[in-house]
Amino acid sequence: MLQVSVYRFNPETDAAPQMQEYQVETGGKDLMVLDVLEMIKAEHDASVTYRRSCREGVCGSDGLNINGKNGLACITPLSDAVKNNKLVIRPLPGLPVVRDLVVDMSLFYAQYEKIEPYLQNNSPAPAIERLQTPEDRAKLDGLYECILCACCSTSCPSFWWNPDRFVGPAGLLQAYRFLADSRDQATDERLAKLDDPFSVFRCHGIQNCVNVCPKGLNPTRAIGHIRTMLLNRAA
Amino acid sequence: MRTISFDGVIVGGGGAGMRAALQLAQSGYKTAVISKVFPTRSHTVSAQGGITCAIASADPQDDWRWHMYDTVKGSDYIGDQDAIEYMCSVGPEAIFELEHMGLPFSRTEEGRIYQRPFGGQSKNFGEGGQAARTCAAADRTGHALLHTLYQNNVKNETVFFNEWFATDLVKNQDGAVVGVIAICIETGETVYVKSKATVFATGGAGRIYASTTNAHINTGDGVGMALRAGVPVQDMEMWQFHPTGIYGAGTLVTEGCRGEGGYLINADGERFMERYAPNAKDLAGRDVVARSMILEILEGRGCGPDGDHVKLKLDHLGEEVLESRLPGICELSRTFAHVDPVKEPIPVVPTCHYMMGGIPTNIHGQALTVDAAGNDQVIPGLYACGEVACVSVHGANRLGGNSLLDLVVFGRASGLFIEDALRQGIEMRDASATDIESANERLVALNERNDGENVSALRKELQGVMQNYFGVFRKGEFMQEGIKKLDDLKERIDNVKLEDKSNAFNTARVECLELQNLFETAEATAIVAEARKESRGAHAREDFTERNDDEWLCHSIYHREGRAVSKRSVNFTPKTVDTFQPKVRTY
């Protein structure tokens, strides 16, 4: 029997959060963490609350703190997470808890919106697509794949400290995705909006973001590129 | 109950909903999207291989009429030819718009959008060999598309009600749809969202089956709401089983794998599709490939200790092609099949994937019903687009890459039509207090009931019945047995128990309401599948093995009231090309 400890908090009934213990029969299978949560919800306690959708690591709903490390429940196998037959599941750190494992993502989304996450190009559009060389397109690899799960930003001490002013790794990865796009014409405006002591420069290269990204992306590297662009712009 | 008013309300924040929303937001009308998940968590995100469209990048001679021919043939001739004509001809414009919005398509050496071959594609009306018509962003096209649409809605300041769940339609005394009841999941507040145009873009319902590529959220909410409001559904017997779901996990492996040169093998290592489809081989229609796989398994040539799956071979394509063209598949295969496709074939099995049926609509997204005389009647106020709609461009079998095109083209078309209708002025009588109360009855009953069965157990039972009795191959007597089992489930699911009555982010409540939508979808599927006594497209019957054009070259229509099944004519009159006449369908 797997020992599972789940963070519980219902704002309507609980004064404080608590960890609740469940014994889950996995049948010795190397299930995903999400499978275990589904079993708890189906067989033990329907009130256990978490988000989930695609169950294959592309929708970004089920970012959780699993045995101390942020990750997606649906693609984290027990063999990667469980230590000493114990699985501890908590909400992503640093954001307000709505209920149990569900956090309020408003600040995270606000930072995403702040970087104007859409292509800006005011030249008249051609009758077909805008052309882009495979080499220029390749510059978007490792950037566009972000699924907005917030595993990175909520593992970042700088984001914990200044979630309102530091854009955070997820937002900055997307900022660079548009800075790096050969079709985007707003480079200067984008950089001007990031050019303050907090938006980018609060990154201290701790690289928790790189360590936890379930898609294997590297926000720290993207932030480094933005930093260079900002410094070149100032020079 | 609080009322919130909009000009247009879109239920569903996937590709279709966000494309419709974008059109309306740009028009300046007061528009809102109600989505039960944050929009980029919608199931469009899982689409992999691409979006099929004759943009003439891979082949400068490509022609949308060839795409139309393939789609009509793929539909086994019950796709509406006016709708298919519209989708294929307007498609290129819709794709270029997406590119201009920033969608990071993969590129050719010329800098154009990369296109790959997909199943059922041909040049020159089936005479010119395999075409490469599916526009791709690596194997993450749905993700790229969905994020691009969300980003552009952010740019256009669309109002989003994220993590709100629509429970039922509100109709006025004239039978017009005047909005929906919706719950704010975070607070539990229930509101009446009033609207002059209500657009269903609620997606599919693959979760009626035990084994599915679909997300947990694909629970047929639009179908359930429509049926309860007296709106019929069309062609619900037509469910696509995707040939390549990962064995055991059900997660999707794109047809693009076979487009890039991968192929299926049986336990003997034989490329068996050469026997079933000598020309198109592994790129025959999905229905054809899925049935061939099942036959291989039934005839004892399946793989594994139980001989219950086949394998998809990709290693001969080389690591470079796999990592550049199919990186997501490599990742999924390693995670869910514990197989590295660079070295070994992936175990796969046909898995429920797509609902071809849905709410019947015209090409403007207007929902239709059929009157006693058999004529189409527009349902005032209600629109549908994307998977929940049956416009019908997919007929009895959808071609790969056509679902993303469907949702973009008809999301856009719905938005354009509603914008125009709003400009001309839409007058509908307000819903009375009784109208609103009656729409809210189901939710109130659920909240008040203190007995009944557990939602998870009931859902599992329902999914088991559908999997066992309404799968790839179907037979009358088995289906009748399945319908009896559904009859037994009906009242139990109507009376599902919600133990946790709390308001804050109560996902148990949402799951109960979703289960009832799953049931409506499943029941419609079962009744119509039993009624259609022929084999066509995805609907394969062991007791009626042939296509019967004399009796069934038509849509099925299902009304919840009395579980009535009727027939509706297929459109055979495209505006600019000659009709594609039904032929024997071979690949």
Side-chain angles (χ1 to χ4, degrees):
Chain A
M1 294 288 251
L2 180 68
Q3 313 289 316
V4 188
S5 185
V6 181
Y7 178 101
R8 302 297 309 271
F9 175 68
N10 181 342
E12 288 171 58
T13 52
D14 302 339
Q18 49 159 353
M19 299 304 291
Q20 191 165 345
E21 309 298 320
Y22 299 94
Q23 312 274 322
V24 178
E25 182 52 73
T26 60
K29 283 193 233 158
D30 190 16
L31 303 171
M32 297 296 173
V33 172
L34 179 62
D35 298 329
V36 172
L37 281 172
E38 292 280 301
M39 287 165 81
I40 292 174
K41 194 166 176 72
E43 293 157 27
H44 297 256
D45 185 349
S47 72
V48 173
T49 301
Y50 50 90
R51 295 185 174 105
R52 87 282 182 267
S53 174
C54 76
R55 62 80 167 87
E56 58 189 19
V58 293
C59 79
S61 297
D62 61 351
L64 294 170
N65 187 268
I66 302 159
N67 274 6
K69 187 178 174 186
N70 288 358
L72 296 179
C74 61
I75 53 169
T76 302
L78 293 179
S79 56
D80 278 6
V82 172
K83 301 262 161 18
N84 301 322
N85 198 41
K86 182 108 180 128
L87 181 65
V88 182
I89 309 176
R90 294 172 176 273
L92 290 175
L95 294 175
V97 172
V98 176
R99 176 174 176 173
D100 295 351
L101 302 172
V102 173
V103 291
D104 179 349
M105 308 262 288
S106 310
L107 266 174
F108 174 79
Y109 294 137
Q111 292 296 355
Y112 174 65
E113 289 186 21
K114 195 151 93 187
I115 62 100
E116 299 182 358
Y118 38 82
L119 193 81
Q120 298 182 38
N121 184 327
N122 292 323
S123 62
I128 59 166
E129 68 270 44
R130 294 183 201 279
L131 301 183
Q132 185 175 45
T133 65
E135 293 71 32
D136 278 338
R137 169 60 184 75
K139 291 174 186 159
L140 308 183
D141 286 337
L143 305 172
Y144 83 96
E145 301 94 322
C146 173
I147 57 173
L148 300 176
C149 65
C151 284
C152 60
S153 293
T154 62
S155 71
C156 172
S158 299
F159 190 75
W160 294 339
W161 203 245
N162 294 111
D164 52 340
R165 290 197 282 177
F166 174 49
V167 171
L172 290 171
L173 187 79
Q174 288 318 293
Y176 187 62
R177 176 250 174 276
F178 289 99
L179 287 167
D181 196 321
S182 61
R183 301 169 296 173
D184 192 274
Q185 297 176 330
T187 304
D188 205 53
E189 295 82 341
R190 290 181 186 281
L191 289 173
K193 283 176 188 150
L194 293 170
D195 199 358
D196 61 65
F198 279 90
S199 297
V200 178
F201 289 101
R202 284 284 135 167
C203 169
H204 297 305
I206 300 165
Q207 303 207 41
N208 280 359
C209 54
V210 182
N211 190 32
V212 299
C213 177
K215 305 310 284 183
L217 310 179
N218 190 328
T220 306
R221 192 192 300 144
I223 295 169
H225 289 312
I226 301 176
R227 220 187 263 265
T228 308
M229 291 174 93
L230 284 169
L231 294 174
N232 287 342
R233 184 171 172 270
Chain B
M1 191 187 300
R2 195 156 63 99
T3 299
I4 316 175
S5 298
F6 290 92
D7 293 315
V9 162
I10 290 125
V11 184
M18 287 210 286
R19 187 62 189 82
L22 184 59
Q23 201 67 43
L24 281 177
Q26 284 169 340
S27 74
Y29 283 102
K30 205 177 159 201
T31 309
V33 176
I34 298 173
S35 177
K36 65 179 178 176
V37 293
F38 182 78
T40 63
R41 325 279 182 219
S42 307
H43 190 54
T44 303
V45 82
S46 292
Q48 298 171 350
I51 177 164
T52 303
C53 189
I55 60 160
S57 164
D59 171 9
Q61 307 304 317
D62 200 9
D63 190 318
W64 66 263
R65 293 164 192 87
W66 301 350
H67 180 199
M68 179 179 174
Y69 166 83
D70 292 343
T71 304
V72 171
K73 176 182 170 186
S75 80
D76 220 346
Y77 300 96
I78 62 163
D80 289 308
Q81 297 198 9
D82 59 340
I84 297 172
E85 174 188 39
Y86 181 79
M87 177 176 81
C88 296
S89 61
V90 171
E93 197 182 333
I95 299 289
F96 295 139
E97 282 170 3
L98 290 171
E99 195 283 331
H100 299 155
M101 287 179 211
L103 201 157
F105 281 112
S106 301
R107 299 288 170 158
T108 65
E109 286 306 318
E110 292 74 38
R112 293 207 60 191
I113 294 171
Y114 170 71
Q115 292 182 292
R116 59 163 55 110
F118 246 54
Q121 291 181 357
S122 77
K123 298 181 183 187
N124 196 18
F125 309 106
E127 303 294 323
Q130 177 73 41
R133 193 174 290 129
T134 301
C135 309
D139 57 356
R140 303 186 179 100
T141 315
H143 169 279
L145 170 71
L146 191 66
H147 280 254
T148 300
L149 285 174
Y150 180 66
Q151 291 161 353
N152 280 270
N153 273 289
V154 167
K155 183 181 178 185
N156 286 280
E157 297 177 349
T158 305
V159 177
F160 282 99
F161 288 83
N162 292 333
E163 297 181 327
W164 282 60
F165 182 74
T167 60
D168 270 300
L169 281 169
V170 177
K171 288 164 74 178
N172 69 9
Q173 56 185 301
D174 306 313
V177 170
V178 289
V180 290
I181 305 286
I183 308 174
C184 170
I185 299 174
E186 184 173 337
T187 63
E189 186 192 6
T190 305
V191 303
Y192 165 40
V193 186
K194 179 182 166 181
S195 178
K196 292 174 187 162
T198 303
V199 185
F200 272 3
T202 52
R207 287 277 156 178
I208 64 170
Y209 287 94
S211 170
T212 176
T213 66
N214 283 197
H216 285 287
I217 59 171
N218 288 23
T219 53
D221 302 328
V223 171
M225 286 189 276
L227 285 170
R228 282 190 297 273
V231 177
V233 286
Q234 176 171 282
D235 296 340
M236 287 301 293
E237 67 278 37
M238 301 301 179
W239 281 86
Q240 179 161 82
F241 288 80
H242 195 291
T244 54
I246 292 180
Y247 171 68
T251 45
L252 174 68
V253 175
T254 176
E255 187 169 296
C257 291
R258 284 170 281 137
E260 297 288 347
Y263 56 86
L264 296 162
I265 53 175
N266 60 20
D268 305 327
E270 183 205 5
R271 184 175 182 180
F272 58 85
M273 280 312 299
E274 289 179 333
R275 274 188 278 119
Y276 296 94
N279 297 312
K281 301 187 179 80
D282 296 81
L283 289 177
R286 284 181 178 173
D287 55 335
V288 175
V289 180
R291 275 195 293 276
S292 307
M293 292 166 73
I294 298 283
L295 288 173
E296 286 299 297
I297 292 167
L298 290 175
E299 288 169 14
R301 292 186 293 277
C303 303
D306 299 323
D308 56 355
H309 59 276
V310 298
K311 288 186 175 175
L312 174 65
K313 186 172 150 57
L314 295 175
D315 56 292
H316 59 286
L317 301 178
E319 188 164 2
E320 201 187 309
V321 168
L322 291 176
E323 291 295 351
S324 64
R325 299 270 187 237
L326 302 165
I329 292 308
C330 293
E331 203 178 302
L332 279 171
S333 175
R334 287 167 195 145
T335 306
F336 287 102
H338 308 294
V339 156
D340 184 351
V342 173
K343 296 178 187 140
E344 295 173 76
I346 310 172
V348 291
V349 72
T351 306
C352 168
H353 183 57
Y354 188 86
M355 175 175 86
M356 266 80 73
I359 299 167
T361 70
N362 59 24
I363 61 167
H364 308 299
Q366 291 182 289
L368 304 173
T369 188
V370 182
D371 67 17
N375 297 315
D376 290 352
Q377 297 293 342
V378 167
I379 298 168
L382 184 64
Y383 301 78
C385 52
E387 191 168 342
V388 71
C390 184
V391 51
S392 152
V393 288
H394 309 306
N397 171 65
R398 174 172 73 76
L399 293 187
N402 267 355
S403 63
L404 292 185
L405 187 65
D406 169 12
L407 62 83
V408 170
V409 167
F410 291 104
R412 181 179 180 272
S414 303
L416 285 167
F417 183 86
I418 294 166
E419 180 184 346
D420 203 42
L422 286 167
R423 195 161 290 132
Q424 290 175 25
I426 297 175
E427 290 303 326
M428 293 193 295
R429 281 197 270 194
D430 281 347
S432 66
T434 328
D435 295 331
I436 297 168
E437 263 169 46
S438 92
N440 197 33
E441 266 169 21
R442 181 171 73 108
L443 177 59
V444 170
L446 176 69
N447 287 336
E448 287 176 354
R449 191 162 49 241
N450 288 313
D451 49 7
E453 291 176 65
N454 170 285
V455 62
S456 300
L458 286 169
R459 187 173 53 214
K460 202 171 168 190
E461 197 176 327
L462 175 69
Q463 291 167 339
V465 171
M466 294 309 291
Q467 189 75 28
N468 293 334
Y469 295 92
F470 303 93
V472 174
F473 285 103
R474 298 162 174 184
K475 198 171 176 182
E477 55 190 284
F478 287 125
M479 288 195 280
Q480 283 152 16
E481 215 172 294
I483 290 168
K484 280 198 196 108
K485 292 189 186 291
L486 290 178
D487 292 344
D488 171 61
L489 270 166
K490 184 175 174 51
E491 209 178 299
R492 294 161 61 203
I493 288 177
D494 278 349
N495 294 312
V496 58
K497 181 180 186 182
L498 174 65
E499 203 152 329
D500 173 11
K501 307 279 203 243
S502 62
N503 288 315
F505 221 98
N506 189 335
T507 53
R509 176 177 290 125
V510 173
E511 286 189 24
C512 289
L513 296 166
E514 287 175 335
L515 173 65
Q516 293 175 340
N517 293 330
L518 282 173
F519 182 82
E520 296 296 344
T521 312
E523 187 177 41
T525 299
I527 297 295
V528 187
E530 198 277 333
R532 185 182 279 271
K533 293 185 172 52
E534 65 156 355
S535 289
R536 180 185 302 272
H539 181 62
R541 288 188 62 147
E542 291 172 42
D543 45 355
F544 297 93
T545 54
E546 299 300 315
R547 191 173 88 189
N548 180 351
D549 284 350
D550 292 338
E551 287 178 63
W552 288 103
L553 186 63
C554 60
H555 298 296
S556 68
I557 293 285
Y558 172 81
H559 287 271
R560 184 173 186 254
E561 177 81 37
R563 302 206 293 197
V565 180
S566 58
K567 295 178 179 180
R568 178 172 172 248
S569 302
V570 171
N571 180 290
F572 283 99
T573 50
K575 292 191 177 70
T576 63
V577 293
D578 290 340
T579 301
F580 293 105
Q581 297 296 342
K583 290 193 293 195
V584 176
R585 183 165 162 259
T586 54
Y587 285 99

